[in-house]
Amino acid sequence: MLLKELSGFASPLSDNQANQLKQAAAELSPQQLAWVSGYFYGISQNNTAVSAPNAVTATGPATQLTIIFASQTGNAKGVAKQIHAKVEEQGFQVKLYDAADYKLKNLKNETHLIIVASTNGEGEVPDNAIEFYDYLNSKKAPKLDHLQYAVVGLGDSSYEFFCQTGKDFDAALSKLGARAFIDRIDCDLDYDTSVTQWQSTALNKIAEFFKESTTEATSAVVPLSVSSSGAQYSKQSPYTATLLTNQKITGRDSTKDVRHIEIDLEESGITYQPGDALGVWYKNDQQLVDSILATTSIDKEQTIELDDQTITINQALLEFFEITSSNPQFVTQYAQYSDSKKLLKLVEDKNKLREYAAKTQIIDVIAEKKAKLTAQQLISMLRRLTPRLYSISSSQAEVDEEVHLTVGVVEYDTNKGKRVGGASGFLSSGLQEGEEVKVFIEHNNNFKLPSDDNTPVIMIGPGTGIAPFRSFLQERDARQAQGKNWLVFGDRTFAQDFLYQVEFQRYLKDGLLSQLDVAFSRDGANKVYVQDKLKQNAEQLWQWLQEGAHLYVCGDAERMAKDVQTTLLDIAQQQGGLTPENAEEWLKDLRKQKRYQRDVY
């Protein structure tokens, strides 16, 4: 009998039973279907279970663990995959879902759930989880008294709304009656150690659930699913590539230093898509290491224990710890060590503390008042080094076994000397052409070209936010996409800061770019920004969106992205006649449809 016949008049099953069987069968391979067929036949003949090799005893509701990730740039996805792999190693049934792919109606049937959630920008939900988040907080959400859950939150403690998405998921599940089987963990940027420790405790709890279920189980059996091994290279196992090109692409008189970086991926087998990011592991500057050690009166040959090995403090600071960007936790701890009145006063005001930490490097924090530290005390205050993610500015259809980046060098002068960013300084001056750099691809499914090449595309990318749109245009060119392309670029001056000017003007001449609008804020009496160009073309922008255009924004989250979003809401009200509330819903719907995507930082 075919599945479609189950609901027919001759079927002995109820509609609900038939639907459940259809759903279960849809997830099985032909081999599994054949096995299940024999298993059910055995039950019908003997009313006893049939065993099979390489199978796990199904134990009723508690034998299925579901993991859902809410991820913007890929970190939460990576953590979720790590937990998924560990649970599978224990031989337990577990399913892993992107929040965007999870069927909301299945939530009421879950018994054990783990949510791994990152926080996007200022407390915002990642794009892939908007519907799931809204559902949990709506009247449609079911009672979840039978559900036990856990939440892993990822974030950056430098922001006011640290791990807010994870906190919100925790609160929503609890409000619906679900019970946390382990306390929520809120992880900072250097989350690896925290997640590993949490995971160990969580796995013990999960093992208890499965053990309890087994004692009460029926003897039905379900074959284990096989998961893919994933990419060969990752954050934990990067590829050692070679720097091919390091070219400054801002003018001699520009106030900015922007580099076009080309990296060789030859014979690595690494593939990426426009919209993905490249993770770069970098080394710190030796002069900066020397300055920090001198200021804290630590001998560079002192040793520390790190990851079950003994190394010098010099090597630790060069390769394993973040020593450029400060953070509120470091300032707070150093204030206590140094007894600095200025720092202790800052600690009392969280907003001022965050503002100070965001604009002050570690070397300048410890210079506020020198304190003699031991090597172990110093590293106890530092975050572990984490790779920097850069939006890829090339399409493999154009550059083959290379990957290109557009890197703005973070540098500024203080009364104590010049300060340079860790990763951008490494790529611009710490690494020479021909030398090695460890990299990996961070796939970003929340920033992708439309699958239909006929779809119009609007790209808004000032400064180094232009990076992914260079890759978008290379890809659309290679695919001979027929959809219109509109680029809005902004920077300080036309003469010094028009990144990739020749390329974009050629695309405009060849017709790949249907429209190119530029905003150079320092070239006229009045400052003009990308959002001003949107306002000037409001009617046309609204028309493109009515025609199904996808709109992308990349760049600064603090000002530009907020100003662009405000402008979009204004245009919806002016051109579409929407109320402010309806404009908000319209924009949210665009995000849910993946027609409004942002890569902001």
Side-chain angles (χ1 to χ4, degrees):
M1 179 181 291
L2 299 176
L3 282 174
K4 66 181 180 181
E5 298 172 7
L6 284 173
S7 56
F9 66 90
S11 171
L13 303 178
S14 68
D15 287 345
N16 184 48
Q17 289 173 324
N19 289 333
Q20 289 179 336
L21 186 55
K22 288 179 186 178
Q23 184 176 349
E27 299 178 357
L28 300 179
S29 68
Q31 181 181 8
Q32 291 171 331
L33 284 169
W35 184 91
V36 170
S37 175
Y39 162 69
F40 281 141
Y41 179 76
I43 289 181
S44 70
Q45 296 300 307
N46 304 313
N47 198 29
T48 58
V50 181
S51 62
N54 299 321
V56 173
T57 303
T59 59
T63 59
Q64 178 66 57
L65 172 69
T66 295
I67 302 173
I68 299 174
F69 60 86
S71 184
Q72 190 69 26
T73 62
N75 286 336
K77 178 181 179 180
V79 170
K81 290 176 69 175
Q82 175 186 327
I83 297 172
H84 176 262
K86 288 294 183 182
V87 175
E88 274 200 332
E89 284 178 12
Q90 302 297 317
F92 304 138
Q93 287 286 296
V94 58
K95 289 186 178 181
L96 177 65
Y97 292 97
D98 183 315
D101 298 329
Y102 183 75
K103 293 182 179 179
L104 301 177
K105 64 180 181 180
N106 290 343
L107 185 61
K108 63 180 181 296
N109 300 320
E110 302 288 1
T111 61
H112 295 80
L113 174 69
I114 294 176
I115 294 179
V116 184
S118 64
T119 296
N120 183 29
E122 294 290 345
E124 296 177 19
V125 181
D127 288 349
N128 76 316
I130 295 173
E131 281 195 83
F132 184 50
Y133 180 91
D134 287 348
Y135 179 72
L136 278 180
N137 289 281
S138 72
K139 294 180 179 179
K140 295 181 180 180
K143 285 293 183 182
L144 299 175
D145 299 335
H146 57 285
L147 177 67
Q148 295 194 55
Y149 72 92
V151 174
V152 177
L154 302 184
D156 181 347
S157 59
S158 300
Y159 288 92
E160 179 180 358
F161 300 102
F162 175 55
C163 288
Q164 189 62 48
T165 301
K167 294 173 182 177
D168 288 348
F169 275 126
D170 191 6
L173 290 170
S174 177
K175 187 176 180 181
L176 293 170
R179 291 169 293 134
F181 66 80
I182 184 174
D183 289 342
R184 185 191 74 246
I185 181 174
D186 297 329
C187 302
D188 215 332
L189 292 175
D190 52 344
Y191 54 78
D192 287 337
T193 301
S194 300
V195 167
T196 300
Q197 293 172 349
W198 179 92
Q199 180 179 266
S200 177
T201 304
L203 283 174
N204 289 335
K205 291 279 188 180
I206 293 165
E208 291 176 11
F209 297 146
F210 280 83
K211 183 178 179 180
E212 291 171 3
S213 299
T214 302
T215 61
E216 303 169 1
T218 66
S219 51
V221 291
V222 179
L224 278 173
S225 61
V226 180
S227 62
S228 61
S229 60
Q232 181 181 358
Y233 301 106
S234 64
K235 176 183 175 183
Q236 292 74 24
S237 180
Y239 174 69
T240 302
T242 304
L243 178 67
L244 292 175
T245 301
N246 172 6
Q247 178 185 1
K248 186 179 179 183
I249 55 175
T250 42
R252 182 176 56 187
D253 298 323
S254 174
T255 56
K256 296 182 178 181
D257 183 353
V258 178
R259 302 297 176 107
H260 173 72
I261 302 291
E262 297 181 1
I263 294 173
D264 189 6
L265 302 177
E266 187 176 6
E267 298 181 355
S268 67
I270 289 176
T271 60
Y272 59 86
Q273 297 294 323
D276 288 343
L278 186 76
V280 177
W281 283 101
Y282 64 96
K283 291 183 180 180
N284 289 310
D285 179 67
Q286 182 64 61
Q287 287 186 337
L288 179 59
V289 171
D290 292 341
S291 295
I292 290 174
L293 293 176
T295 305
T296 53
S297 302
I298 299 173
D299 186 324
K300 67 191 305 179
E301 296 304 320
Q302 277 193 39
T303 59
I304 62 164
E305 297 299 317
L306 184 68
D307 299 336
D308 298 325
Q309 61 176 327
T310 301
I311 62 173
T312 66
I313 185 65
N314 184 72
Q315 183 185 356
L317 297 186
L318 270 177
E319 300 181 23
F320 298 104
F321 288 93
E322 169 67 73
I323 63 170
T324 49
S325 301
S326 184
N327 60 80
Q329 287 71 31
F330 177 84
V331 177
T332 300
Q333 291 177 359
Y334 188 75
Q336 296 167 351
Y337 274 121
S338 65
D339 201 30
S340 164
K341 291 182 179 179
K342 176 181 177 179
L343 296 181
L344 288 171
K345 188 174 182 180
L346 279 171
V347 170
E348 296 174 359
D349 188 323
K350 290 185 177 180
N351 290 329
K352 289 183 178 179
L353 174 61
R354 275 194 298 271
E355 183 180 346
Y356 172 84
K359 65 180 183 181
T360 309
Q361 290 201 352
I362 282 175
I363 184 64
D364 295 317
V365 174
I366 62 178
E368 296 284 5
K369 185 179 180 181
K370 293 184 179 181
K372 189 174 182 178
L373 303 174
T374 67
Q376 206 68 42
Q377 284 174 330
L378 175 60
I379 66 165
S380 71
M381 294 187 288
L382 298 174
R383 288 172 167 172
R384 291 294 290 263
L385 192 70
T386 56
R388 293 292 192 267
L389 295 179
Y390 290 99
S391 298
I392 292 173
S393 57
S394 58
S395 163
Q396 281 193 296
E398 174 77 17
V399 304
D400 199 18
E401 293 185 309
E402 294 179 10
V403 61
H404 298 179
L405 305 177
T406 307
V407 178
V409 181
V410 177
E411 58 181 351
Y412 56 93
D413 293 319
T414 70
N415 56 9
K416 300 180 181 68
K418 185 178 180 180
R419 301 292 179 243
V420 182
S424 64
F426 173 73
L427 287 171
S428 62
S429 57
L431 188 68
Q432 303 302 311
E433 293 181 358
E435 291 186 338
E436 294 180 340
V437 55
K438 294 182 178 180
V439 301
F440 60 95
I441 300 297
E442 191 70 73
H443 297 291
N444 185 358
N445 292 327
N446 297 311
F447 203 76
K448 283 286 177 284
L449 280 167
S451 55
D452 184 352
D453 284 343
N454 294 310
T455 303
V457 168
I458 304 166
M459 300 162 282
I460 305 164
T464 55
I466 195 64
F469 303 136
R470 182 175 183 262
S471 74
F472 277 23
L473 289 168
Q474 287 183 356
E475 181 76 8
R476 298 271 275 189
D477 190 29
R479 281 158 46 172
Q480 297 183 332
Q482 297 302 303
K484 297 183 294 183
N485 300 296
W486 181 357
L487 176 64
V488 184
F489 172 74
D491 216 308
R492 294 188 176 180
T493 67
F494 174 88
Q496 303 294 327
D497 304 301
F498 195 165
L499 307 181
Y500 304 112
Q501 175 187 353
V502 174
E503 291 183 27
F504 295 139
Q505 288 181 332
R506 186 182 70 245
Y507 284 146
L508 187 62
K509 180 181 178 181
D510 293 344
L512 178 67
L513 265 177
S514 308
Q515 184 163 336
L516 173 62
D517 284 289
V518 292
F520 295 104
S521 60
R522 303 296 192 272
D523 277 348
N526 298 317
K527 293 183 178 180
V528 180
Y529 299 102
V530 289
Q531 61 267 24
D532 297 314
K533 291 296 179 179
L534 300 182
K535 293 175 185 175
Q536 291 172 16
N537 294 277
E539 183 178 354
Q540 186 178 3
L541 179 67
W542 183 253
Q543 184 59 43
W544 276 51
L545 291 171
Q546 298 311 298
E547 293 172 359
H550 286 215
L551 189 147
Y552 302 86
V553 179
C554 182
D556 169 56
E558 186 63 27
R559 295 182 182 178
M560 182 277 298
K562 289 182 179 179
D563 290 341
V564 166
Q565 181 149 312
T566 299
T567 300
L568 292 173
L569 293 171
D570 289 343
I571 290 174
Q573 294 171 60
Q574 295 164 7
Q575 299 294 322
L578 303 181
T579 65
E581 294 76 15
N582 288 340
E584 291 277 2
E585 283 301 314
W586 165 78
L587 200 58
K588 181 182 283 190
D589 286 341
L590 282 187
R591 286 183 66 189
K592 288 180 180 179
Q593 298 166 32
K594 294 198 171 183
R595 289 182 51 209
Y596 174 39
Q597 300 182 31
R598 305 194 307 167
D599 180 6
V600 297
Y601 38 84

